[in-house]
Amino acid sequence: DTEVTQTPKHLVMGMTNKKSLKCEQHMGHRAMYWYKQKAKKPPELMFVYSYEKLSINESVPSRFSPECPNSSLLNLHLHALQPEDSALYLCASSQGGLAGGRAETQYFGPGTRLLVL
Amino acid sequence: SQQGEEDPQALSIQEGENATMNCSYKTSINNLQWYRQNSGRGLVHLILIRSNEREKHSGRLRVTLDTSKKSSSLLITASRAADTASYFCATDRNDYKLSFGAGTTVTVRA
């Protein structure tokens, strides 16, 4: 299995809702990433997990809460989002954990398109 | 933060023509990667070139890297309609992260 899967594909939520995005990979990769991408912009890194531990948090607001239950799964819990949080949320994985500072090839999922009303 | 700047922002070519896009960056890097993104979907890794390499090929793709000028180019030869996508360069600055450029949108006309 050489793919990263994400569910749901689309999500519409109100500002008071709580929802979760899910990401799964079965390639044995040890680093997993969450990115946010606005229309016609490049992806922006949000979080990085390495060996199931949160290694990088790019000063993301606490209304986004990541979780890595095991080496294959990555969740992003959403609570009290704002309309400006509407975006494509991409999950990615890479083979090794973060070591030596190098950024490896990343394998991306298809994304979850989120609309906050 | 965004390190790469891509040029042009948009490119429209006829099927069968070649497409060239450029990426410039500001700080020293370990490697530079190119990714493709079809409309509204995830990114697909195309090619990685290390800082000690000058040119790399993969199928119809040719990537060059000039570390003295802090720039890279991606050439797609004999373009097809399926090449219509956004193309991003991404640099590895030895801080565990990929820094993506703004992207070049390529449209291949039939």
Side-chain angles (χ1 to χ4, degrees):
Chain A
D1 190 348
T2 58
E3 65 172 1
V4 176
T5 59
Q6 289 188 244
T7 54
K9 290 185 181 176
H10 302 274
L11 179 63
V12 180
M13 60 186 291
M15 289 189 282
T16 58
N17 292 157
K18 284 185 182 181
K19 297 285 185 183
S20 296
L21 309 184
K22 181 179 170 182
C23 172
E24 196 163 1
Q25 57 89 12
H26 294 287
M27 296 179 279
H29 288 178
R30 303 319 302 263
M32 296 185 77
Y33 310 76
W34 280 115
Y35 288 87
K36 173 183 176 180
Q37 186 180 27
K38 301 284 266 186
K40 300 190 186 302
K41 296 289 186 183
E44 297 175 14
L45 183 65
M46 299 174 72
F47 303 104
V48 183
Y49 274 82
S50 175
Y51 291 95
E52 300 160 51
K53 288 186 167 42
L54 183 63
S55 298
I56 296 175
N57 176 343
E58 291 285 271
S59 302
V60 178
S62 60
R63 58 185 184 268
F64 295 92
S65 175
E67 179 197 19
C68 189
N70 60 55
S71 60
S72 300
L73 278 175
L74 187 66
N75 297 321
L76 186 63
H77 302 297
L78 314 173
H79 173 55
L81 294 194
Q82 304 297 310
E84 59 264 30
D85 297 321
S86 299
L88 181 66
Y89 287 85
L90 294 163
C91 173
S93 68
S94 63
Q95 187 170 17
L98 301 186
R102 290 180 180 271
E104 299 179 309
T105 296
Q106 294 183 15
Y107 297 81
F108 284 80
T112 293
R113 187 159 299 283
L114 173 67
L115 178 62
V116 182
L117 300 176
Chain B
S1 63
Q2 190 176 316
Q3 161 158 250
E5 294 295 329
E6 294 186 59
D7 165 51
Q9 286 188 325
L11 185 57
S12 180
I13 55 173
Q14 201 74 28
E15 204 165 21
E17 293 180 337
N18 296 342
T20 300
M21 60 210 85
N22 304 296
C23 170
S24 60
Y25 56 92
K26 298 187 180 107
T27 62
S28 62
I29 60 172
N30 285 323
N31 65 57
L32 186 144
Q33 303 179 34
W34 286 91
Y35 288 82
R36 183 187 75 228
Q37 184 176 34
N38 292 91
S39 180
R41 299 187 57 80
L43 281 74
V44 174
H45 179 257
L46 296 176
I47 202 161
L48 180 153
I49 187 165
R50 301 196 185 282
S51 59
N52 61 354
E53 297 175 311
R54 291 296 166 258
E55 189 170 313
K56 209 159 180 184
H57 296 255
S58 176
R60 294 183 296 112
L61 306 179
R62 174 179 166 249
V63 168
T64 62
L65 179 64
D66 186 335
T67 51
S68 66
K69 294 181 180 177
K70 292 188 170 59
S71 69
S72 174
S73 68
L74 170 67
L75 167 67
I76 305 172
T77 60
S79 63
R80 305 167 181 169
D83 295 327
T84 294
S86 292
Y87 292 81
F88 294 94
C89 67
T91 51
D92 164 17
R93 299 174 299 179
N94 204 39
D95 61 355
Y96 306 105
K97 307 176 219 178
L98 283 180
S99 180
F100 286 87
T104 294
T105 300
V106 175
T107 303
V108 180
R109 306 185 307 271

